[in-house]
């Protein structure tokens, strides 16, 4: 049986990754493929438990190395119990975030040396690299506005600082560093990465994603 394809979605907050992951998974299923739509951190009970700790901000005080180790602990479970078995059975995997997020959040924007992320990645991910990574690019101000509108908490329709998760609450400079790093990754690995303009309408972004899939795979 042919191995499934491994597709990852990357980018900053509110870029539309979750929305587009659901649209793409549905579109692929309509072609007759078996598809696993998943996310990081998460995708298995152990990884979801680690997600709760990470997004609550409880691990922040231990620094970017400890956070990166926790993201890789979650990734190890995700790979072992969900991603690799699916790929081996011919199922296509669409993951909302993967290793590039660690490179961007804990590495470039968080200050953890790239060499440390590379060691963790080699140990945990090994050869299970994405076949295609779509980078959703948009100005961070726009992404953060979308996130605030999605879950309004206050009377003014915006969320207060305490409503934001560990990473949403970081400075705009941090979010600009993330954007720069995702674009740097795309430039360094053009055979794996495609950048889409995530500021377009949902339908236009979905069309760009589908066009990238059709170009890369024989569908
Ligand atoms: N993280 C890390 O630090 N290191 C790692 O290794 C990994 C992750 C794997 C996971 O949070 C956090 O973990 C994340 C990085 C860090 N940082 N944060 N926060 P998460 O999974 O809760 O959040 P996220 O991955 O950042 O996703 P998000 O903020 O939910 O955004 P999104 O999935 O890209 O967007 P969306 O939910 O599809 O859309 C957001 C809103 O915009 C929603 O209301 C949509 O209806 C709307 N939307 C979507 N597309 C459009 C368009 N095209 N136009 C207008 N409105 C739109």
């Amino acid at each position: 049986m042919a191995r499934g394809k491994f597709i990852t979605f990357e980018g900053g907050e509110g870029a539309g990754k979750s929305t587009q992951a659901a649209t793409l998974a549905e579109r692929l299923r309509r072609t007759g493929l078996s598809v696993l739509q998943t996310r990081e951190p998460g995708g298995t009970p152990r990884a979801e438990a680690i997600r709760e700790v990470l997004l609550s901000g409880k691990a922040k005080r231990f620094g970017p190395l400890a956070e990166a180790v926790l993201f890789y602990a979650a990734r190890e479970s995700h790979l072992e119990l969900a991603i690799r078995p699916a790929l081996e059975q011919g199922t296509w995997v669409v993951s909302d975030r993967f290793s590039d997020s660690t490179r961007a959040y804990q590495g470039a924007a968080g200050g953890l040396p790239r060499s440390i992320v590379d060691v963790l990645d080699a140990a945990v991910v090994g050869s299970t690299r994405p076949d295609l990574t779509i980078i959703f690019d948009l100005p961070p101000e726009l992404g953060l506005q979308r996130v605030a509108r999605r879950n309004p908490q206050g009377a003014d329709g915006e969320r207060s600082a305490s409503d934001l998760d560990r990473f949403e609450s970081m400075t705009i400079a941090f979010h600009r560093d993330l954007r720069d790093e995702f674009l740097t990754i795309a430039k360094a690995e053009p055979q794996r990465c495609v950048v889409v303009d995530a500021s377009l309408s949902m339908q236009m972004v979905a069309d760009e994603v589908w066009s990238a899939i059709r170009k890369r795979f024989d569908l």
Side-chain angles (χ1 to χ4, degrees), residues 136-202:
F136 291 79
D137 179 56
L138 88 171
E141 293 83 354
L142 179 54
L144 291 169
Q145 269 171 26
R146 285 183 184 171
V147 170
R149 270 193 231 112
R150 181 183 54 193
N151 300 322
Q153 300 286 320
D156 57 0
E158 299 295 323
R159 294 195 296 177
S160 69
S162 59
D163 296 321
L164 300 174
D165 77 23
R166 155 78 179 91
F167 298 100
E168 289 166 356
S169 61
M170 294 300 284
T171 63
I172 198 71
F174 179 90
H175 292 284
R176 289 199 185 109
D177 287 347
L178 289 176
R179 184 187 194 190
D180 290 348
E181 179 62 11
F182 283 121
L183 292 174
T184 300
I185 291 169
K187 207 168 169 192
E189 295 184 65
Q191 68 294 348
R192 172 172 71 88
C193 302
V194 173
V195 179
V196 304
D197 179 354
S199 67
L200 299 172
S201 72
M202 285 187 203

Side-chain angles (χ1 to χ4, degrees), residues 61-119:
R61 66 198 165 110
F62 301 126
L65 173 57
E67 284 190 315
V69 168
L70 285 170
F71 277 110
Y72 273 98
R75 187 161 298 140
E76 196 249 339
S77 167
H78 194 204
L79 280 159
E80 253 340 275
L81 299 178
I83 296 176
R84 289 192 188 112
L87 293 173
E88 277 156 27
Q89 285 162 23
T91 294
W92 286 39
V93 176
V94 178
S95 183
D96 184 352
R97 297 194 181 279
F98 192 62
S99 292
D100 295 319
S101 284
T102 321
R103 284 202 223 170
Y105 280 78
Q106 284 65 52
L112 188 65
R114 171 67 191 264
S115 55
I116 296 183
V117 180
D118 286 347
V119 167

Side-chain angles (χ1 to χ4, degrees), residues 3-78:
R3 178 184 173 276
K5 300 295 181 195
F6 183 21
I7 300 162
T8 57
F9 281 7
E10 298 280 8
E13 256 81 352
K17 300 175 303 300
S18 317
T19 308
Q20 296 296 336
T23 303
L24 175 63
E26 191 44 42
R27 214 158 179 178
L28 289 170
R29 284 188 192 109
R30 284 206 302 269
T31 72
L33 289 165
S34 160
V35 180
L36 171 68
Q37 184 197 332
T38 185
R39 67 171 181 183
E40 288 212 346
T44 66
R46 192 197 309 167
E48 292 289 337
I50 296 172
R51 176 188 176 91
E52 267 185 51
V53 174
L54 282 162
L55 295 198
S56 73
K58 284 183 189 143
K60 180 181 178 184
R61 66 198 165 110
F62 301 126
L65 173 57
E67 284 190 315
V69 168
L70 285 170
F71 277 110
Y72 273 98
R75 187 161 298 140
E76 196 249 339
S77 167
H78 194 204

